[in-house]
Amino acid sequence: MSEFPYERLRRFPDVEAPNLQAHDATDLLLVERGLAVASDRGLTGAEIVVIGDGYGAITLALADAGLGGLRVHQDLATGRRALVHNAAALALTRNQDADRVSTNTEAGRAGSHPAVGTIFVPHELDAGLLTGARLVLLQLPKALAELEEIADAVARWAADDVVLMAGGRVKHMTLAQNDVLARSFARVQPQRAERKSRLIVAEEPRDVPETPPFPVQATHDSVGTVGALTLAAHGGAFAGARIDIGTRVLLDVLDRVPPGDVVVDLGCGTGALAAVYALTHPGVHVIATDRSAAAAASARGTMIANGLAERVEVTHDDAGSELADASADVVLLNPPFHLGTSVHTAAATRLFEAAARLLRSGGELWTVYNSTLAYRGELTRLVGPTEQVHRTPKFTVSRSIRR
C-alpha cells in the first residue's frame, strides 16, 4: 500500500493560511494505530467510527487503506465540506460538484454524493453513529464537557468490546482528560508520546446513567430587557449554558438595535442573542446559524426552552452560506478569535464578509469584540461605515451600515 498523500489535503472551505495545515501528527498516529487494531481484530470499516476528524485526514487515510463504510461525526460544517472536497480531490469519488454538498447528514445519507455511504457515512453524535462500533478514533476536543459527552455516547451505544483511541497534541493535553474518560471507561491507559502527540486508550465501558448528561440547561435572570432566559448547551457549545461576557455586553445594548423583517444571529452559539431579540420583537423573522453542530443543537434547545421553537429558525451552516444574498436587515455577531487551539482573527474576517453578503443595502451589522482587536477599520472596509456604540473596559460594540 502506498503512503497516503496527506500533503494534498486542503482545509477549504475553512480558513486557509501558510501556517494552517489540514492534518497534524495526531491524525497520522491515530491512523497508524487504528489500522493496526483493525487488522488485529479483523474489523470492517462499518465497525469503525471517526470523531473530530478536522478535514478528513483520518477518514480518507483509512478509506485509502481499504476500509469502506466508515461512520463519521464532525462538529463543524466546514470540516464536513472539507471531507467531501478532499475525497473528490484524491479521486476517492468521481463527483466534482463538492461545492454544492449540503452539511445536512440526512441529505448525505440519501446519496447526494457518491462518497457518502460508500467510503464514509456522516452522522450526528447519536446511536446511529455508534451502535455496534468496536473501534472509535477521536481527535480530542478542546472542551472537557465535549469530551464528556462523546465518552458517554461511546459507552452508551458502542459494542461492549469497543476500543476508544483518543489523540491530541501533548501541549494541549491535561490529566483532566484522563479523569473524564475514566468516568465512562474502567480502563484508561495513556500511551507514550510520539511526534509531540499522544494517544489515550479507553476500554471496558461502564454502565451509563439512564439520561445522557447533555444537553444541560441554566436559567439566567435580568438578561437585557426580557428578564429570565434559559440556555441549553451540549458539551461542544462555547461557554456551555453560561452567557459569555462578550455576548452579555451586546445583550446590554440589544434594545438599541433597530427592528427588521429578517434578523440573523451569525455564529449564534447557544442562541442567546437570537432568543432575546425574538422575545423583544415578536413580528421579526429571526435566524440563528452556527458552523458547530453542537452549537446549532444547543440553540434549538434554547428556543424550545423559551417558547421560541416556531419563531426562530436555527441552521447548521458555514458562515450563513445557505442564506440568500442581501436577505437580512440586521446581523448580530460575536465573532470568535480562535481557530481550534490557535489564536487567529481570520475566522472573524470570514464572518464580516458573510455579514456584508447577507445584509441589504442600508442594513446594520452589530458586532461585539475584544477592544484590543481594533476591528473598526476592517469592518468599515468589508461592510461599510462603522461607529462605536458602546464600550466596556474589555469589549467594544460597533454598528456598521451596509453600503
Side-chain angles (χ1 to χ4, degrees):
M1 181 182 67
S2 60
E3 185 174 345
F4 183 76
Y6 290 101
E7 71 283 354
R8 291 181 56 192
L9 299 176
R10 291 186 57 192
R11 296 166 58 94
F12 182 82
D14 204 353
V15 173
E16 296 191 293
N19 63 327
L20 298 174
Q21 289 186 315
H23 70 283
D24 63 17
T26 305
D27 293 326
L28 275 63
L29 191 56
L30 282 167
V31 170
E32 291 170 6
R33 297 294 178 83
L35 286 174
V37 170
S39 177
D40 289 344
R41 303 183 71 188
L43 301 182
T44 67
E47 295 175 297
I48 301 173
V49 170
V50 181
I51 301 177
D53 191 0
Y55 304 96
I58 302 170
T59 303
L60 299 181
L62 293 177
D64 189 61
L67 294 166
L70 299 156
R71 285 178 276 176
V72 180
H73 172 68
Q74 296 164 286
D75 180 61
L76 299 184
T78 44
R80 297 182 185 193
R81 291 178 178 176
L83 171 55
V84 174
H85 276 284
N86 284 323
L90 296 177
L92 291 170
T93 170
R94 292 189 297 273
N95 190 338
Q96 301 302 312
D97 193 22
D99 281 313
R100 301 184 63 186
V101 173
S102 172
T103 58
N104 181 285
T105 57
E106 291 298 333
R109 283 195 286 270
S112 63
H113 194 281
V116 179
T118 54
I119 63 172
F120 64 89
V121 183
H123 288 270
E124 299 303 338
L125 185 63
D126 56 18
L129 173 73
L130 289 158
T131 298
R134 299 182 63 206
L135 174 62
V136 177
L137 303 178
L138 168 67
Q139 265 276 10
L140 281 165
K142 186 166 63 172
L144 290 176
E146 185 174 4
L147 178 59
E148 181 182 357
E149 184 169 17
I150 293 169
D152 174 86
V154 176
R156 185 175 300 276
W157 291 310
D160 291 340
D161 65 347
V162 67
V163 175
L164 169 62
M165 303 180 70
R169 301 295 280 166
V170 171
K171 63 182 179 181
H172 300 308
M173 297 178 72
T174 66
L175 292 175
Q177 293 169 328
N178 300 347
D179 296 336
V180 169
L181 289 170
R183 295 175 201 161
S184 296
F185 294 89
R187 293 181 59 197
V188 177
Q189 299 177 311
Q191 308 296 296
R192 293 184 63 180
E194 296 183 33
R195 291 163 286 182
K196 300 183 180 179
S197 292
R198 186 192 303 277
L199 299 185
I200 307 171
V201 177
E203 299 176 273
E204 300 178 13
R206 298 183 186 275
D207 292 336
V208 296
E210 182 177 350
T211 303
F214 294 90
V216 298
Q217 287 192 356
T219 299
H220 304 268
D221 297 324
S222 303
V223 179
T225 59
V226 301
L229 179 74
T230 298
L231 294 182
H234 285 270
F238 174 71
R242 305 183 304 277
I243 300 177
D244 76 272
I245 52 178
T247 294
R248 188 171 287 279
V249 170
L250 184 48
L251 284 169
D252 287 342
V253 297
L254 206 60
D255 59 338
R256 296 166 60 181
V257 177
D261 293 332
V262 177
V263 173
V264 176
D265 182 358
L266 189 60
C268 65
T270 55
L273 292 170
V276 171
Y277 195 93
L279 288 168
T280 54
H281 298 82
V284 174
H285 180 202
V286 178
I287 302 171
T289 183
D290 202 291
R291 72 173 188 155
S292 163
S298 301
R300 291 188 188 99
T302 292
M303 301 316 152
I304 292 170
N306 293 280
L308 295 169
E310 300 301 319
R311 293 175 46 199
V312 177
E313 178 185 355
V314 180
T315 69
H316 177 215
D317 187 14
D318 172 26
S321 66
E322 295 183 3
L323 302 178
D325 294 1
S327 61
D329 300 291
V330 175
V331 171
L332 308 173
L333 176 60
N334 178 8
F337 58 91
H338 282 86
L339 283 172
T341 55
S342 302
V343 176
H344 207 295
T345 60
T349 299
R350 288 189 79 233
L351 292 174
F352 298 159
E353 293 170 341
R357 181 185 65 80
L358 293 171
L359 283 167
R360 301 184 177 106
S361 178
E364 299 189 9
L365 167 63
W366 286 65
T367 313
V368 61
Y369 52 89
N370 191 303
S371 299
T372 60
L373 295 173
Y375 281 142
R376 183 171 176 176
E378 187 171 15
L379 285 164
T380 298
R381 176 175 60 85
L382 294 175
V383 182
T386 299
E387 64 175 350
Q388 175 183 304
V389 295
H390 183 58
R391 189 181 179 99
T392 70
K394 188 172 183 179
F395 289 94
T396 294
V397 176
S398 66
R399 179 182 68 167
S400 305
I401 309 298
R402 183 70 169 100
R403 292 185 184 90

